[in-house]
Coordinates of all heavy atoms in Angstrom, one line a residue:
M23 N -15.9 -224.2 -153.6 CA -15.6 -223.2 -154.7 C -15.8 -221.8 -154.1 O -16.8 -221.5 -153.5 CB -16.5 -223.5 -155.9 CG -16.1 -222.6 -157.1 SD -16.6 -223.4 -158.6 CE -18.3 -223.1 -158.7
A24 N -14.8 -220.9 -154.5 CA -14.9 -219.5 -154.0 C -15.3 -218.7 -155.2 O -15.0 -218.9 -156.3 CB -13.6 -219.0 -153.5
L25 N -16.1 -217.7 -154.9 CA -16.6 -216.7 -155.9 C -16.2 -215.3 -155.5 O -16.3 -214.9 -154.4 CB -18.1 -216.8 -156.1 CG -18.7 -218.1 -156.5 CD1 -20.2 -218.0 -156.4 CD2 -18.3 -218.5 -157.9
L26 N -16.0 -214.5 -156.5 CA -15.7 -213.1 -156.3 C -16.2 -212.3 -157.5 O -15.9 -212.6 -158.6 CB -14.2 -212.9 -156.1 CG -13.8 -211.4 -155.9 CD1 -14.2 -210.9 -154.6 CD2 -12.3 -211.2 -156.1
T27 N -17.1 -211.3 -157.2 CA -17.6 -210.5 -158.3 C -16.5 -209.4 -158.6 O -16.0 -208.8 -157.7 CB -18.9 -209.8 -157.9 OG1 -19.9 -210.8 -157.6 CG2 -19.4 -209.0 -159.1
V28 N -16.2 -209.3 -159.8 CA -15.1 -208.4 -160.3 C -15.7 -207.3 -161.2 O -16.4 -207.6 -162.1 CB -14.0 -209.1 -161.0 CG1 -12.9 -208.2 -161.4 CG2 -13.5 -210.3 -160.2
R29 N -15.4 -206.0 -160.8 CA -15.8 -204.9 -161.7 C -14.5 -204.3 -162.2 O -13.6 -204.0 -161.6 CB -16.6 -203.9 -160.9 CG -18.0 -204.4 -160.7 CD -18.8 -203.2 -160.0 NE -20.2 -203.6 -159.9 CZ -20.7 -204.4 -158.9 NH1 -19.8 -204.9 -158.0 NH2 -21.9 -204.7 -158.9
V30 N -14.4 -204.2 -163.6 CA -13.3 -203.6 -164.2 C -13.7 -202.4 -165.1 O -14.9 -202.3 -165.4 CB -12.5 -204.6 -165.0 CG1 -11.9 -205.7 -164.1 CG2 -13.3 -205.3 -166.0
S31 N -12.8 -201.6 -165.5 CA -13.1 -200.5 -166.3 C -13.6 -200.9 -167.7 O -14.2 -200.1 -168.4 CB -11.9 -199.5 -166.4 OG -10.9 -200.2 -167.1
G32 N -13.1 -202.1 -168.1 CA -13.4 -202.5 -169.5 C -12.3 -202.2 -170.5 O -12.4 -202.6 -171.6
D33 N -11.4 -201.4 -170.1 CA -10.3 -201.0 -171.0 C -9.5 -202.3 -171.3 O -9.0 -202.9 -170.4 CB -9.4 -200.0 -170.3 CG -10.0 -198.6 -170.3 OD1 -11.0 -198.4 -171.0 OD2 -9.5 -197.8 -169.5
G34 N -9.4 -202.5 -172.6 CA -8.5 -203.7 -173.0 C -9.1 -205.0 -172.7 O -8.5 -206.1 -172.7
V35 N -10.4 -205.1 -172.3 CA -11.0 -206.3 -172.0 C -12.0 -206.7 -173.1 O -12.9 -205.9 -173.5 CB -11.8 -206.3 -170.6 CG1 -12.5 -207.6 -170.3 CG2 -10.8 -205.9 -169.5
E36 N -11.9 -207.9 -173.7 CA -12.8 -208.3 -174.7 C -14.3 -208.4 -174.2 O -14.5 -208.8 -173.1 CB -12.4 -209.7 -175.3 CG -11.0 -209.6 -176.0 CD -11.1 -208.9 -177.3 OE1 -12.1 -208.9 -178.0 OE2 -10.0 -208.4 -177.7
R37 N -15.2 -208.1 -175.1 CA -16.6 -208.2 -174.7 C -17.0 -209.7 -174.8 O -16.6 -210.5 -175.7 CB -17.4 -207.4 -175.7 CG -17.3 -205.9 -175.6 CD -18.2 -205.2 -176.4 NE -18.1 -203.7 -176.2 CZ -18.5 -203.1 -175.1 NH1 -19.3 -203.7 -174.2 NH2 -18.3 -201.8 -174.9
C38 N -18.0 -210.0 -173.9 CA -18.5 -211.3 -173.9 C -19.3 -211.6 -175.2 O -20.1 -210.7 -175.6 CB -19.5 -211.5 -172.7 SG -20.5 -212.9 -172.7
P39 N -19.1 -212.6 -175.9 CA -19.8 -212.9 -177.2 C -21.2 -213.2 -176.9 O -22.0 -213.1 -177.9 CB -19.0 -214.1 -177.7 CG -18.3 -214.8 -176.6 CD -18.1 -213.7 -175.6
S40 N -21.6 -213.5 -175.7 CA -23.0 -213.8 -175.5 C -23.9 -212.6 -175.1 O -25.0 -212.5 -175.6 CB -23.0 -214.9 -174.3 OG -24.3 -215.2 -173.9
C41 N -23.3 -211.7 -174.3 CA -24.1 -210.6 -173.8 C -23.5 -209.2 -174.0 O -24.1 -208.2 -173.7 CB -24.5 -210.8 -172.3 SG -23.1 -210.5 -171.2
G42 N -22.2 -209.2 -174.5 CA -21.5 -207.9 -174.8 C -20.9 -207.2 -173.6 O -20.4 -206.2 -173.7
N43 N -21.1 -207.8 -172.4 CA -20.5 -207.2 -171.2 C -18.9 -207.3 -171.2 O -18.4 -208.3 -171.6 CB -21.1 -207.9 -170.0 CG -20.2 -207.9 -168.8 OD1 -20.0 -206.8 -168.2 ND2 -19.7 -209.0 -168.4
N44 N -18.3 -206.2 -170.7 CA -16.9 -206.4 -170.5 C -16.4 -205.7 -169.2 O -15.3 -205.3 -169.1 CB -16.0 -205.9 -171.7 CG -16.0 -204.4 -171.9 OD1 -16.9 -203.7 -171.3 ND2 -15.1 -203.9 -172.6
T45 N -17.3 -205.4 -168.3 CA -17.0 -204.8 -167.1 C -17.3 -205.6 -165.8 O -16.8 -205.3 -164.8 CB -17.7 -203.4 -167.0 OG1 -19.1 -203.6 -167.0 CG2 -17.2 -202.4 -168.0
Q46 N -18.1 -206.5 -165.9 CA -18.5 -207.3 -164.7 C -18.3 -208.8 -164.9 O -18.9 -209.4 -165.8 CB -20.0 -207.0 -164.3 CG -20.2 -205.7 -163.7 CD -21.4 -205.6 -162.8 OE1 -21.7 -206.5 -162.0 NE2 -22.3 -204.6 -163.1
F47 N -17.5 -209.3 -164.1 CA -17.1 -210.7 -164.2 C -17.2 -211.4 -162.9 O -17.3 -210.7 -161.8 CB -15.7 -210.9 -164.7 CG -15.5 -210.4 -166.1 CD1 -15.2 -209.1 -166.4 CD2 -15.7 -211.2 -167.2 CE1 -15.0 -208.6 -167.7 CE2 -15.6 -210.7 -168.5 CZ -15.3 -209.4 -168.8
V48 N -17.2 -212.7 -162.9 CA -17.2 -213.5 -161.7 C -15.9 -214.3 -161.7 O -15.8 -215.1 -162.6 CB -18.4 -214.4 -161.5 CG1 -18.4 -215.2 -160.2 CG2 -19.7 -213.6 -161.6
A49 N -15.0 -214.0 -160.7 CA -13.8 -214.9 -160.6 C -14.2 -216.1 -159.8 O -14.8 -216.0 -158.8 CB -12.7 -214.0 -160.0
K50 N -13.7 -217.2 -160.2 CA -14.0 -218.5 -159.5 C -12.7 -219.2 -159.2 O -11.8 -219.2 -160.0 CB -14.9 -219.4 -160.3 CG -16.3 -218.8 -160.5 CD -17.3 -219.8 -161.1 CE -18.7 -219.2 -161.2 NZ -19.6 -220.1 -161.7
S51 N -12.7 -219.9 -158.1 CA -11.6 -220.7 -157.7 C -12.1 -222.1 -157.3 O -13.0 -222.2 -156.5 CB -10.9 -220.0 -156.6 OG -9.9 -220.8 -156.0
M52 N -11.4 -223.1 -157.8 CA -11.8 -224.5 -157.4 C -10.6 -225.3 -157.3 O -9.7 -225.3 -158.1 CB -12.7 -225.0 -158.5 CG -13.3 -226.3 -158.2 SD -14.5 -226.8 -159.6 CE -13.3 -227.1 -160.9
Q53 N -10.6 -226.2 -156.3 CA -9.5 -227.1 -156.1 C -9.5 -228.1 -157.3 O -10.5 -228.8 -157.5 CB -9.5 -227.8 -154.8 CG -8.3 -228.5 -154.5 CD -8.1 -228.9 -153.0 OE1 -9.0 -228.8 -152.3 NE2 -6.9 -229.2 -152.6
S54 N -8.3 -228.3 -158.0 CA -8.3 -229.2 -159.1 C -7.6 -230.5 -158.8 O -7.9 -231.5 -159.3 CB -7.7 -228.5 -160.3 OG -6.4 -228.1 -160.0
C55 N -6.6 -230.4 -157.9 CA -6.1 -231.6 -157.4 C -5.6 -231.4 -156.0 O -5.8 -230.3 -155.4 CB -4.9 -232.1 -158.3 SG -3.6 -231.0 -158.4
E56 N -4.9 -232.2 -155.4 CA -4.6 -232.2 -154.0 C -3.9 -230.9 -153.6 O -4.1 -230.3 -152.6 CB -3.7 -233.4 -153.6 CG -3.9 -233.8 -152.1 CD -3.2 -235.1 -151.8 OE1 -3.5 -236.1 -152.6 OE2 -2.3 -235.1 -151.0
D57 N -2.9 -230.5 -154.4 CA -2.1 -229.3 -154.0 C -2.2 -228.2 -155.0 O -1.3 -227.4 -155.2 CB -0.6 -229.7 -153.8 CG -0.1 -230.4 -155.1 OD1 -0.8 -230.6 -156.1 OD2 1.1 -230.8 -155.1
S58 N -3.3 -228.1 -155.8 CA -3.4 -227.1 -156.7 C -4.8 -226.6 -156.9 O -5.7 -227.5 -156.7 CB -2.8 -227.5 -158.1 OG -2.8 -226.4 -159.0
C59 N -5.0 -225.3 -157.3 CA -6.3 -224.8 -157.6 C -6.4 -224.3 -158.9 O -5.4 -223.8 -159.5 CB -6.7 -223.7 -156.5 SG -6.9 -224.4 -154.9
E60 N -7.6 -224.3 -159.5 CA -7.8 -223.5 -160.7 C -8.5 -222.3 -160.5 O -9.5 -222.2 -159.7 CB -8.7 -224.4 -161.7 CG -8.0 -225.6 -162.2 CD -8.8 -226.4 -163.2 OE1 -10.1 -226.3 -163.0 OE2 -8.3 -227.1 -164.1
V61 N -8.1 -221.2 -161.1 CA -8.7 -219.9 -161.0 C -9.1 -219.4 -162.4 O -8.3 -219.5 -163.3 CB -7.8 -218.8 -160.3 CG1 -8.6 -217.6 -160.1 CG2 -7.3 -219.4 -159.0
W62 N -10.4 -218.9 -162.6 CA -10.8 -218.4 -163.9 C -11.8 -217.4 -163.7 O -12.4 -217.3 -162.6 CB -11.2 -219.6 -164.8 CG -12.5 -220.2 -164.4 CD1 -13.7 -220.0 -165.1 CD2 -12.8 -221.2 -163.4 NE1 -14.7 -220.8 -164.5 CE2 -14.1 -221.5 -163.5 CE3 -12.0 -221.8 -162.5 CZ2 -14.7 -222.4 -162.6 CZ3 -12.6 -222.8 -161.6 CH2 -13.9 -223.0 -161.7
V63 N -12.2 -216.7 -164.8 CA -13.3 -215.7 -164.7 C -14.4 -216.2 -165.7 O -14.1 -216.7 -166.8 CB -12.8 -214.3 -165.1 CG1 -12.0 -213.7 -163.9 CG2 -12.1 -214.2 -166.4
E64 N -15.6 -215.9 -165.3 CA -16.7 -216.1 -166.2 C -17.4 -214.7 -166.3 O -17.3 -213.9 -165.4 CB -17.8 -217.1 -165.6 CG -17.3 -218.5 -165.5 CD -18.3 -219.4 -164.9 OE1 -19.4 -218.9 -164.5 OE2 -17.9 -220.6 -164.7
C65 N -18.2 -214.6 -167.4 CA -19.0 -213.4 -167.6 C -20.1 -213.4 -166.5 O -20.4 -214.4 -166.0 CB -19.6 -213.4 -168.9 SG -20.7 -212.0 -169.2
Q66 N -20.6 -212.2 -166.2 CA -21.8 -212.1 -165.3 C -22.9 -213.0 -165.8 O -23.8 -213.4 -165.0 CB -22.1 -210.7 -165.1 CG -22.6 -210.0 -166.4 CD -23.2 -208.6 -166.1 OE1 -23.2 -208.2 -165.0 NE2 -23.6 -208.0 -167.2
C67 N -23.0 -213.2 -167.1 CA -24.2 -213.9 -167.7 C -23.9 -215.5 -167.6 O -24.8 -216.2 -167.9 CB -24.4 -213.6 -169.1 SG -23.2 -214.2 -170.3
G68 N -22.7 -215.8 -167.1 CA -22.4 -217.3 -167.0 C -21.6 -217.8 -168.1 O -21.3 -219.0 -168.1
Y69 N -21.3 -217.0 -169.1 CA -20.5 -217.5 -170.2 C -19.1 -217.8 -169.7 O -18.5 -216.9 -169.1 CB -20.4 -216.5 -171.3 CG -19.6 -216.9 -172.5 CD1 -20.1 -217.7 -173.5 CD2 -18.3 -216.3 -172.6 CE1 -19.2 -218.1 -174.5 CE2 -17.5 -216.7 -173.7 CZ -18.0 -217.6 -174.6 OH -17.1 -218.0 -175.7
D70 N -18.6 -218.9 -170.0 CA -17.3 -219.3 -169.5 C -16.4 -219.9 -170.7 O -16.6 -221.1 -171.0 CB -17.5 -220.4 -168.4 CG -16.1 -221.0 -168.0 OD1 -15.1 -220.4 -168.3 OD2 -16.2 -222.0 -167.2
P71 N -15.5 -219.1 -171.2 CA -14.7 -219.5 -172.4 C -13.7 -220.6 -172.0 O -13.2 -221.3 -172.9 CB -14.1 -218.3 -172.9 CG -14.0 -217.4 -171.7 CD -15.2 -217.7 -170.8
T72 N -13.4 -220.8 -170.8 CA -12.5 -221.8 -170.3 C -13.1 -223.2 -170.3 O -12.4 -224.2 -170.1 CB -11.9 -221.5 -169.0 OG1 -12.9 -221.7 -167.9 CG2 -11.2 -220.1 -168.9
A73 N -14.5 -223.3 -170.3 CA -15.2 -224.5 -170.1 C -14.7 -225.7 -171.0 O -14.6 -226.8 -170.5 CB -16.7 -224.3 -170.1
D74 N -14.4 -225.3 -172.2 CA -14.1 -226.4 -173.2 C -12.7 -226.5 -173.5 O -12.2 -227.2 -174.4 CB -14.8 -226.1 -174.6 CG -16.3 -225.9 -174.4 OD1 -16.9 -226.7 -173.5 OD2 -16.9 -225.1 -175.1
V75 N -11.8 -225.6 -172.9 CA -10.4 -225.5 -173.2 C -9.6 -226.0 -172.1 O -9.4 -225.3 -171.1 CB -10.0 -224.1 -173.6 CG1 -8.6 -224.0 -174.2 CG2 -11.0 -223.5 -174.7
V76 N -9.1 -227.2 -172.2 CA -8.2 -227.7 -171.2 C -7.0 -226.9 -171.0 O -6.3 -226.6 -172.0 CB -7.9 -229.2 -171.4 CG1 -6.9 -229.8 -170.4 CG2 -9.2 -230.1 -171.5
G77 N -6.6 -226.6 -169.8 CA -5.4 -225.9 -169.5 C -5.5 -224.4 -169.6 O -4.5 -223.6 -169.5
S78 N -6.7 -223.9 -169.9 CA -6.9 -222.5 -170.1 C -7.1 -221.7 -168.7 O -7.1 -220.5 -168.7 CB -8.0 -222.1 -171.0 OG -9.2 -222.6 -170.5
R79 N -7.3 -222.5 -167.7 CA -7.5 -221.9 -166.4 C -6.2 -221.7 -165.7 O -5.3 -222.4 -165.9 CB -8.4 -222.8 -165.5 CG -9.9 -222.7 -166.1 CD -10.8 -223.6 -165.4 NE -12.1 -223.5 -165.9 CZ -13.2 -224.2 -165.5 NH1 -13.1 -225.1 -164.6 NH2 -14.3 -224.0 -166.1
F80 N -6.1 -220.6 -164.9 CA -4.9 -220.3 -164.2 C -4.7 -221.2 -163.0 O -5.6 -221.3 -162.1 CB -5.0 -218.8 -163.8 CG -3.8 -218.3 -163.1 CD1 -2.6 -218.1 -163.9 CD2 -3.8 -217.9 -161.8 CE1 -1.5 -217.6 -163.3 CE2 -2.6 -217.4 -161.2 CZ -1.5 -217.3 -162.0
E81 N -3.6 -221.9 -162.9 CA -3.4 -222.8 -161.8 C -2.5 -222.1 -160.7 O -1.5 -221.5 -161.0 CB -2.7 -224.0 -162.2 CG -3.6 -224.9 -163.1 CD -3.2 -226.3 -163.1 OE1 -2.4 -226.7 -162.2 OE2 -3.7 -227.1 -163.9
C82 N -2.9 -222.2 -159.5 CA -2.1 -221.8 -158.4 C -2.4 -222.6 -157.2 O -3.4 -223.3 -157.1 CB -2.2 -220.3 -158.2 SG -3.7 -219.8 -157.3
V83 N -1.5 -222.6 -156.3 CA -1.5 -223.5 -155.1 C -2.7 -223.2 -154.2 O -3.4 -224.1 -153.9 CB -0.2 -223.4 -154.3 CG1 -0.3 -224.3 -153.1 CG2 1.0 -223.9 -155.2
W84 N -2.9 -221.9 -153.9 CA -4.0 -221.6 -152.9 C -5.3 -221.2 -153.6 O -6.3 -221.2 -152.9 CB -3.5 -220.4 -152.1 CG -2.2 -220.8 -151.3 CD1 -1.0 -220.3 -151.5 CD2 -2.1 -221.8 -150.3 NE1 -0.1 -220.9 -150.6 CE2 -0.7 -221.8 -149.9 CE3 -3.0 -222.6 -149.6 CZ2 -0.3 -222.7 -148.9 CZ3 -2.5 -223.5 -148.6 CH2 -1.2 -223.5 -148.3
G85 N -5.2 -220.8 -154.8 CA -6.5 -220.5 -155.5 C -7.0 -219.1 -155.0 O -8.3 -218.9 -155.0
T86 N -6.2 -218.3 -154.5 CA -6.7 -217.0 -153.9 C -7.1 -216.1 -155.1 O -6.6 -216.1 -156.2 CB -5.5 -216.3 -153.2 OG1 -4.3 -216.4 -153.9 CG2 -5.4 -216.8 -151.8
L87 N -8.2 -215.4 -154.8 CA -8.8 -214.5 -155.8 C -8.3 -213.1 -155.6 O -9.1 -212.2 -155.2 CB -10.3 -214.6 -155.8 CG -10.9 -216.0 -156.2 CD1 -12.4 -216.0 -155.9 CD2 -10.6 -216.3 -157.6
D88 N -7.0 -212.9 -155.7 CA -6.5 -211.6 -155.4 C -6.3 -210.9 -156.8 O -6.6 -211.4 -157.8 CB -5.1 -211.6 -154.7 CG -4.1 -212.4 -155.4 OD1 -4.2 -212.7 -156.6 OD2 -3.1 -212.8 -154.8
K89 N -5.8 -209.6 -156.7 CA -5.8 -208.8 -157.9 C -4.9 -209.4 -159.0 O -5.3 -209.5 -160.2 CB -5.3 -207.4 -157.5 CG -5.4 -206.4 -158.6 CD -5.1 -205.0 -158.0 CE -5.2 -203.9 -159.0 NZ -4.1 -203.9 -159.9
D90 N -3.8 -209.9 -158.7 CA -2.8 -210.5 -159.6 C -3.5 -211.7 -160.4 O -3.4 -211.8 -161.6 CB -1.5 -211.0 -159.0 CG -0.7 -209.8 -158.6 OD1 -1.0 -208.6 -159.1 OD2 0.3 -210.0 -157.9
N91 N -4.1 -212.6 -159.6 CA -4.7 -213.8 -160.2 C -5.9 -213.4 -161.1 O -6.1 -213.9 -162.1 CB -5.2 -214.7 -159.0 CG -4.1 -215.5 -158.5 OD1 -2.9 -215.4 -159.0 ND2 -4.3 -216.3 -157.5
V92 N -6.7 -212.4 -160.6 CA -7.8 -212.0 -161.4 C -7.3 -211.4 -162.8 O -7.9 -211.6 -163.8 CB -8.7 -211.0 -160.7 CG1 -9.7 -210.4 -161.6 CG2 -9.4 -211.8 -159.5
E93 N -6.3 -210.6 -162.7 CA -5.7 -210.1 -163.9 C -5.2 -211.1 -164.8 O -5.4 -211.1 -166.1 CB -4.6 -209.0 -163.5 CG -5.2 -207.6 -163.3 CD -4.1 -206.7 -162.8 OE1 -2.9 -206.9 -163.0 OE2 -4.6 -205.6 -162.3
A94 N -4.5 -212.1 -164.3 CA -4.1 -213.2 -165.1 C -5.2 -213.9 -165.8 O -5.2 -214.3 -166.9 CB -3.3 -214.2 -164.2
C95 N -6.3 -214.1 -165.0 CA -7.5 -214.7 -165.6 C -8.2 -213.9 -166.7 O -8.6 -214.4 -167.7 CB -8.6 -214.9 -164.5 SG -8.1 -216.2 -163.3
L96 N -8.3 -212.6 -166.5 CA -8.8 -211.7 -167.5 C -8.0 -211.7 -168.7 O -8.5 -211.6 -169.8 CB -8.9 -210.2 -166.9 CG -10.1 -210.0 -166.1 CD1 -10.0 -208.6 -165.4 CD2 -11.4 -210.1 -166.8
S97 N -6.6 -211.9 -168.6 CA -5.8 -212.0 -169.8 C -6.1 -213.2 -170.5 O -6.1 -213.2 -171.7 CB -4.4 -211.9 -169.2 OG -3.5 -212.5 -170.1
S98 N -6.3 -214.3 -169.8 CA -6.7 -215.6 -170.6 C -8.1 -215.5 -171.1 O -8.4 -216.0 -172.2 CB -6.4 -216.8 -169.8 OG -6.9 -216.8 -168.5
W99 N -9.0 -214.7 -170.4 CA -10.3 -214.4 -171.0 C -10.2 -213.8 -172.4 O -10.7 -214.2 -173.4 CB -11.1 -213.5 -170.1 CG -12.3 -212.8 -170.7 CD1 -12.2 -211.6 -171.4 CD2 -13.7 -213.2 -170.7 NE1 -13.5 -211.3 -171.8 CE2 -14.4 -212.2 -171.4 CE3 -14.4 -214.4 -170.2 CZ2 -15.8 -212.3 -171.6 CZ3 -15.7 -214.4 -170.4 CH2 -16.5 -213.5 -171.1
N100 N -9.3 -212.7 -172.4 CA -9.1 -212.0 -173.7 C -8.6 -213.0 -174.8 O -9.1 -213.0 -175.9 CB -8.0 -210.9 -173.5 CG -8.7 -209.7 -173.0 OD1 -9.9 -209.5 -173.0 ND2 -7.8 -208.7 -172.4
D101 N -7.5 -213.8 -174.4 CA -7.0 -214.7 -175.4 C -8.1 -215.7 -175.9 O -8.1 -215.9 -177.2 CB -5.9 -215.6 -174.8 CG -4.7 -214.7 -174.4 OD1 -4.6 -213.6 -174.9 OD2 -3.8 -215.2 -173.7
L102 N -8.9 -216.2 -175.0 CA -9.9 -217.2 -175.5 C -11.0 -216.5 -176.3 O -11.4 -217.1 -177.3 CB -10.5 -217.9 -174.2 CG -9.5 -218.8 -173.5 CD1 -10.1 -219.0 -172.1 CD2 -9.4 -220.0 -174.2
I103 N -11.4 -215.3 -176.0 CA -12.4 -214.6 -176.8 C -11.9 -214.3 -178.2 O -12.6 -214.5 -179.1 CB -12.9 -213.3 -176.1 CG1 -13.4 -213.6 -174.7 CG2 -13.9 -212.6 -177.0 CD1 -14.7 -214.4 -174.6
Q104 N -10.6 -213.9 -178.2 CA -10.0 -213.6 -179.5 C -9.9 -214.9 -180.4 O -10.2 -214.9 -181.6 CB -8.7 -213.0 -179.3 CG -8.8 -211.5 -178.9 CD -7.5 -211.0 -178.3 OE1 -6.5 -211.6 -178.4 NE2 -7.5 -209.8 -177.8
L105 N -9.5 -216.0 -179.7 CA -9.4 -217.2 -180.4 C -10.8 -217.7 -180.9 O -10.9 -218.1 -182.1 CB -8.9 -218.2 -179.4 CG -8.2 -219.5 -179.9 CD1 -6.9 -219.2 -180.6 CD2 -8.0 -220.5 -178.8
N106 N -11.7 -217.6 -180.1 CA -13.1 -218.0 -180.5 C -13.6 -217.2 -181.7 O -14.2 -217.7 -182.6 CB -14.1 -217.8 -179.4 CG -14.0 -218.9 -178.3 OD1 -13.3 -219.9 -178.6 ND2 -14.6 -218.7 -177.2
S107 N -13.3 -215.9 -181.7 CA -13.9 -215.1 -182.8 C -13.1 -215.4 -184.1 O -13.7 -215.3 -185.2 CB -13.8 -213.6 -182.4 OG -12.5 -213.1 -182.2
K108 N -11.9 -215.7 -184.0 CA -11.1 -216.1 -185.2 C -11.7 -217.4 -185.7 O -11.8 -217.6 -186.9 CB -9.6 -216.4 -184.8 CG -8.8 -215.0 -184.9 CD -7.3 -215.3 -184.7 CE -6.6 -214.1 -184.2 NZ -5.6 -214.4 -183.2
Q109 N -12.0 -218.4 -184.9 CA -12.5 -219.7 -185.3 C -13.8 -219.5 -186.0 O -14.2 -220.3 -186.9 CB -12.6 -220.6 -184.1 CG -11.3 -221.2 -183.8 CD -11.3 -222.0 -182.4 OE1 -12.3 -221.9 -181.7 NE2 -10.3 -222.6 -182.1
Q110 N -14.6 -218.5 -185.7 CA -15.9 -218.3 -186.3 C -15.9 -217.7 -187.7 O -16.8 -217.8 -188.4 CB -16.8 -217.5 -185.4 CG -17.4 -218.3 -184.3 CD -17.9 -217.5 -183.1 OE1 -18.0 -216.3 -183.2 NE2 -18.2 -218.1 -182.0
M111 N -14.7 -217.1 -187.9 CA -14.6 -216.4 -189.3 C -14.3 -217.4 -190.4 O -13.9 -218.5 -190.2 CB -13.6 -215.4 -189.2 CG -14.0 -214.1 -188.5 SD -13.0 -212.7 -188.8 CE -11.4 -213.1 -188.3
Ligands
ZN18 ZN1 -21.9 -212.5 -171.0

């Protein structure tokens, strides 16, 4: 599994429901099957909104943690946080 610490400006990024952080994340990459990898971001505190949601991780062949992939992951982070907060209302 590959790890990359990501610092972002926080503009347009949802806050972690656990610790309120929206600027420091850990991007992770893990091989999910023979020819594909899953890439996703977790909060610096370890909160991972993709953990319970099948299909919410970004799939790509090499699992590289480049800018485009990290941005795609942050976009699904936003979707999942918004979804979670709606479910709690
Ligand atoms: Zn957090």
Side-chain angles (χ1 to χ4, degrees):
M23 185 153 76
L25 295 178
L26 178 72
T27 302
V28 181
R29 285 186 174 79
V30 294
S31 68
D33 287 344
V35 180
E36 294 289 333
R37 291 188 178 278
C38 170
S40 173
C41 72
N43 154 67
N44 71 342
T45 56
Q46 285 202 50
F47 295 90
V48 181
K50 295 190 175 181
S51 168
M52 185 176 69
Q53 190 159 17
S54 58
C55 63
E56 209 170 304
D57 56 359
S58 184
C59 292
E60 289 181 334
V61 186
W62 71 101
V63 289
E64 293 180 4
C65 178
Q66 59 172 3
C67 76
Y69 177 80
D70 175 11
T72 69
D74 308 322
V75 187
V76 176
S78 62
R79 291 176 176 178
F80 184 66
E81 289 205 15
C82 76
V83 176
W84 300 110
T86 41
L87 295 170
D88 61 16
K89 193 168 176 289
D90 286 348
N91 281 356
V92 168
E93 274 176 14
C95 292
L96 279 171
S97 155
S98 44
W99 161 275
N100 277 345
D101 290 346
L102 291 162
I103 301 296
Q104 284 163 6
L105 199 69
N106 283 347
S107 63
K108 272 184 205 143
Q109 280 169 350
Q110 279 162 12
M111 284 197 303

